[in-house]
């Protein structure tokens, strides 16, 4: 499952970094640091999404189409 809390926290950090970037007028080094922090947070969001996709894929592999067919068959027999 995708950890939405961590994604939300990263989005909050990105928003703060962008505000910092806008406030820095004449310090290119600090602007680069703010942009670097923003990129790192986007990277964390991508990692969290990728882990969620991996978990979902693993779950789907465990279930398998044969198992789903058997479960549907059992449900139709009950009715």
């Amino acid at each position: 499952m995708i950890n939405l809390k961590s994604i939300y926290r990263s989005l909050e950090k990105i928003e703060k970094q962008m505000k910092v970037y806008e406030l820095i007028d004449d310090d290119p080094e600090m602007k680069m640091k703010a942009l670097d922090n923003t990129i790192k947070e986007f990277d964390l969001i991508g990692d969290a999404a990728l882990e969620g996709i991996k978990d979902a894929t693993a779950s789907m592999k465990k279930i398998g189409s044969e198992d789903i067919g058997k479960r549907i068959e059992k449900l139709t027999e009950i009715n």
Side-chain angles (χ1 to χ4, degrees):
M1 181 177 305
I2 297 175
N3 186 341
L4 295 178
K5 280 186 176 181
S6 65
I7 291 175
Y8 183 74
R9 282 189 215 116
S10 286
L11 289 173
E12 286 179 332
K13 289 178 184 178
I14 289 169
E15 187 177 343
K16 288 177 185 176
Q17 287 298 318
M18 293 312 297
K19 286 179 182 177
V20 168
Y21 180 84
E22 290 172 5
L23 292 174
I24 301 170
D25 285 332
D26 54 350
D27 191 348
E29 188 175 325
M30 290 301 292
K31 280 191 163 201
M32 288 301 291
K33 186 173 182 176
L35 288 175
D36 187 48
N37 289 338
T38 301
I39 291 168
K40 286 178 184 174
E41 289 303 323
F42 275 116
D43 192 36
L44 290 173
I45 290 171
D47 290 346
L50 184 59
E51 283 302 312
I53 292 168
K54 285 180 183 177
D55 291 345
T57 302
S59 295
M60 289 173 68
K61 285 180 182 178
K62 286 179 185 176
I63 293 172
S65 60
E66 218 176 283
D67 190 39
I68 291 172
K70 288 178 184 176
R71 289 179 186 199
I72 291 172
E73 199 173 302
K74 283 183 182 179
L75 289 174
T76 56
E77 289 173 4
I78 294 171
N79 294 327

